[in-house]
Amino acid sequence: EAQVTQNPRYLITVTGKKLTVTCSQNMNHEYMSWYRQDPGLGLRQIYYSMNVEVTDKGDVPEGYKVSRKEKRNFPLILESPSPNQTSLYFCASSRTGGFQPQHFGDGTRLSIL
Amino acid sequence: GQQLNQSPQSMFIQEGEDVSMNCTSSSIFNTWLWYKQEPGEGPVLLIALYKAGELTSNGRLTAQFGITRKDSFLNISASIPSDVGIYFCAGQAGTYKYIFGTGTRLKVLA
């Protein structure tokens, strides 16, 4: 089954403790992206990757890092999480970035205390 | 960052009614996409629009890519309870960057 898998689905942690949210897709997609969803703000793009070793900033990249060492994986790293990063996070992928609709994972709810 | 203005923010409608929602931007987009999100899940694509003026249907859903390329509309005909969810529009400006609307929360009363 074609899917985008995120882990963990839920995480409660404390300020400053480094964390990684993993994202994996099994569709051989070139393009992957991370979003955060906050009430009243919709989804905002954090980072995206056009292919292996190629990443770029979205609209809200501050406080986040990403890497794309393999085509299928695109982890989101919070080196020093802060409470304003409490949010619902989604990973998405598409065959290529240009004009291709994205497939989304089921989300990761992060709470930073 | 840039966002799309989506309206209405929420709607309560009776089962069987038609629904209309829209999305507007100050910028031109090359692609408009409409997604639906249900509780506990990620957004799922409903309709993709690639050309100004394009009108596309998917079952009871119809979406249009505005002529000015700065807006898009989604209509749902004869709503049913499973239409409940949050509907998002998304526009693609550059080749790789996506901008999402703030969402329209739809509730259907049986």
Side-chain angles (χ1 to χ4, degrees):
Chain A
E1 181 192 348
Q3 58 186 3
V4 177
T5 303
Q6 297 178 225
N7 278 297
R9 292 293 311 277
Y10 304 91
L11 179 64
I12 301 173
T13 187
V14 295
T15 299
K17 186 177 180 183
K18 180 180 178 180
L19 67 91
T20 299
V21 185
T22 63
C23 175
S24 180
Q25 50 93 4
N26 62 0
M27 295 168 278
N28 201 36
H29 284 171
E30 291 183 354
Y31 181 91
M32 297 185 74
S33 183
W34 276 102
Y35 296 85
R36 60 177 289 173
Q37 183 177 12
D38 301 290
L41 297 178
L43 287 97
R44 293 179 292 167
Q45 195 169 31
I46 302 171
Y47 269 96
Y48 58 92
S49 169
M50 297 79 89
N51 214 325
V52 175
E53 302 291 5
V54 184
T55 64
D56 206 349
K57 296 177 181 178
D59 280 338
V60 288
E62 294 79 20
Y64 304 95
K65 283 175 57 176
V66 293
S67 69
R68 187 90 181 274
K69 293 184 169 48
E70 309 164 277
K71 200 171 189 179
R72 63 182 292 126
N73 295 323
F74 189 45
L76 179 70
I77 303 155
L78 285 71
E79 293 269 4
S80 183
S82 62
N84 64 11
Q85 292 177 298
T86 292
S87 188
L88 179 59
Y89 291 85
F90 287 100
C91 179
S93 73
S94 64
R95 192 163 57 84
T96 64
F99 313 118
Q100 295 290 318
Q102 296 176 80
H103 300 261
F104 282 81
D106 285 337
T108 295
R109 187 167 291 281
L110 284 184
S111 294
I112 316 292
L113 305 177
Chain B
Q2 185 182 3
Q3 280 188 300
L4 299 175
N5 297 314
Q6 197 169 340
S7 65
Q9 278 190 318
S10 61
M11 305 177 74
F12 288 81
I13 61 167
Q14 292 287 336
E15 183 177 357
E17 287 184 356
D18 296 344
V19 174
S20 291
M21 59 189 80
N22 67 75
C23 208
T24 60
S25 169
S26 56
S27 306
I28 287 173
F29 286 105
N30 301 317
T31 303
W32 283 95
L33 306 166
W34 283 93
Y35 288 87
K36 178 188 178 186
Q37 183 181 25
E38 298 189 15
E41 298 180 9
V44 173
L45 181 71
L46 298 173
I47 292 179
L49 302 161
Y50 298 106
K51 205 164 74 169
E54 181 181 352
L55 186 71
T56 297
S57 292
N58 178 6
R60 293 178 296 106
L61 278 61
T62 302
Q64 183 160 25
F65 191 144
I67 289 289
T68 65
R69 292 166 65 194
K70 292 184 178 181
D71 56 11
S72 181
F73 307 87
L74 176 70
N75 294 317
I76 305 173
S77 62
S79 58
I80 58 178
S82 61
D83 289 333
V84 164
I86 305 176
Y87 291 79
F88 289 102
C89 60
Q92 192 169 14
T95 307
Y96 298 109
K97 223 172 170 186
Y98 290 84
I99 309 294
F100 275 75
T102 49
T104 293
R105 189 179 294 271
L106 179 65
K107 296 196 177 179
V108 180
L109 306 173

